C-alpha cells in the first residue's frame, strides 16, 4: 500500500515542507519547499500565512499522514514559545483536515536516518539525498522536512514488521 | 460607530471567549463561554477543537476586532510552550478570517480594568460584572476573556480621544 507523507519543519521565518511516498521499503520523492511568512508584520498575520500554506499543500497533495518534530524548550524559552506558535499553526492546518499528525523527538529522527541521535544538519542532509533519489533540498528547513517525513515512513514500516 | 470585539483567553483545557459591543463609552455584553477540548487525545486534535470553536464564533458573531493576552514564559517553560500552541490555534482561526488581532500584556489588561497591574482573578471578575451589566461569567477563563475584550474597547476609545 502506498502512503503519502507530509513532513513539516515549522518556523516563523521559514517553514520547510516535503511530500514523499512510501510503499514497503520503497520511498519516492514527490515535492518539497519552504513557506516564507513575511519577516515583519503582526504575529497573527504571519501565522495565517503558515496555516494557509500548509492548508494548500494538504489540498494539493492529499497526504495520508503528517510528521513533525516535538519541540522542547531550549536555552531561549521566549524563542521556543514563538516557534510553538508556528508549529501549532501548521499542526492545526493539517488536523482540521482530519489528517493524523505523528510527532517525533528530534534525536529520534536523526537516529533513524543517520544511526546517531546527535548528527548535524550536514549529515542529515547527506542521508536525505542518499535515501531519497530526486530530492535536492535547497535549504536546511527543506532538508529537515524531508528527514521528518522519511523518519515517519521508516518508523511505521518497522512497526508493521514487528506487529 | 458600534464595534464588535471578540476576547479570547486561550488554554488547552479551557479556552474562554467573549463577545462585547463597544460604541463610544458604552459597552454591551453579547455572549461568552468556554471552548472545552477533550482532556485526553493528541495535541493536534485538541488544537483542531480550539480552531474550529473559534472559527464558529467568528462566523456566528462576526466580530470586527479580536483581543488576546501576550504570553510570557513563566516558571514552567514547557507549560508555556503548550499554552503557546493553544494561543496560536485560536489566533490563526481569527486571522485567516481577516479579523485583526490586538495583543495586550496581562498587567496592562488588569491595570485598564482595575487600576492596578497586579489585581487577582477575583478583583478582575468583580470589575467585569460592574463594567458590563448582563455579564455573568461562570469560570475564570470566561471572566478573563470578557476582561480582555473590555480592555481592548477601553484602549481604542482612549486612542481615538487622544488622536
Amino acid at each position: 500500500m502506498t502512503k503519502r507523507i507530509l513532513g513539516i519543519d515549522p518556523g516563523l521565518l521559514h517553514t520547510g515542507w516535503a511530500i514523499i511516498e512510501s510503499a514497503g521499503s520503497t520511498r519516492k520523492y514527490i515535492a518539497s519547499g519552504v513557506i516564507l511568512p513575511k519577516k515583519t508584520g503582526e504575529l497573527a498575520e504571519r501565522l495565517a500565512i503558515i496555516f494557509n500554506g500548509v492548508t494548500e499543500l494538504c489540498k494539493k497533495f492529499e497526504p495520508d499522514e503528517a510528521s513533525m518534530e516535538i519541540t522542547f524548550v531550549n536555552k531561549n524559552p521566549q524563542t521556543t514559545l514563538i516557534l510553538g506558535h508556528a508549529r501549532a499553526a501548521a499542526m492545526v492546518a493539517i488536523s482540521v483536515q482530519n489528517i493524523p499528525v505523528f510527532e517525533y523527538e528530534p534525536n529520534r529522527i536523526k537516529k533513524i536516518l543517520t544511526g546517531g541521535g546527535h548528527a548535524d544538519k550536514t549529515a542529515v542532509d547527506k542521508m536525505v539525498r542518499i535515501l531519497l533519489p530526486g530530492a535536492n533540498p535547497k535549504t536546511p528547513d527543506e532538508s529537515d522536512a524531508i528527514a521528518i517525513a522519511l523518519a515517519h515512513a521508516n518508523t511505521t514500516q518497522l512497526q508493521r514488521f514487528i506487529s
Side-chain angles (χ1 to χ4, degrees), chain A:
Chain A
M1 199 194 84
T2 300
K3 193 156 61 177
R4 209 165 243 223
I5 299 163
L6 168 63
I8 292 277
D9 182 38
L12 205 58
L13 287 174
H14 316 94
T15 287
W17 62 270
I19 298 277
I20 68 166
E21 272 182 5
S22 169
S25 60
T26 308
R27 310 283 172 263
K28 191 178 158 192
Y29 172 81
I30 303 293
S32 60
V34 180
I35 297 165
L36 296 165
K38 51 185 180 179
K39 282 188 184 170
T40 54
E42 300 298 327
L43 177 61
E45 292 170 36
R46 298 170 74 189
L47 295 180
I49 292 169
I50 297 173
F51 178 91
N52 287 333
V54 175
T55 301
E56 213 172 285
L57 290 175
C58 291
K59 289 193 190 301
K60 185 173 175 186
F61 293 106
E62 300 183 336
D64 302 294
E65 293 173 358
S67 177
M68 291 176 85
E69 273 187 6
I70 294 171
T71 306
F72 292 101
V73 177
N74 61 16
K75 284 169 204 155
N76 190 333
Q78 201 62 35
T79 307
T80 314
L81 177 61
I82 295 299
L83 171 61
H85 280 65
R87 185 173 187 267
M91 191 177 244
V92 85
I94 300 164
S95 184
V96 291
Q97 296 188 59
N98 294 316
I99 299 161
V101 181
F102 294 82
E103 301 181 70
Y104 296 94
E105 294 186 6
N107 288 353
R108 179 133 181 251
I109 291 170
K110 286 175 187 164
K111 197 160 187 181
I112 292 168
L113 289 201
T114 68
H118 298 283
D120 63 9
K121 286 200 176 285
T122 314
V124 170
D125 186 69
K126 202 176 273 180
M127 282 311 289
V128 158
R129 289 167 200 271
I130 291 170
L131 293 170
L132 204 65
N136 182 26
K138 278 157 212 77
T139 68
D141 313 280
E142 200 177 332
S143 183
D144 280 353
I146 299 172
I148 291 160
L150 276 173
H152 177 61
N154 292 2
T155 305
T156 45
Q157 188 204 348
L158 196 66
Q159 278 162 352
R160 267 199 307 276
F161 186 72
I162 295 168
S163 60

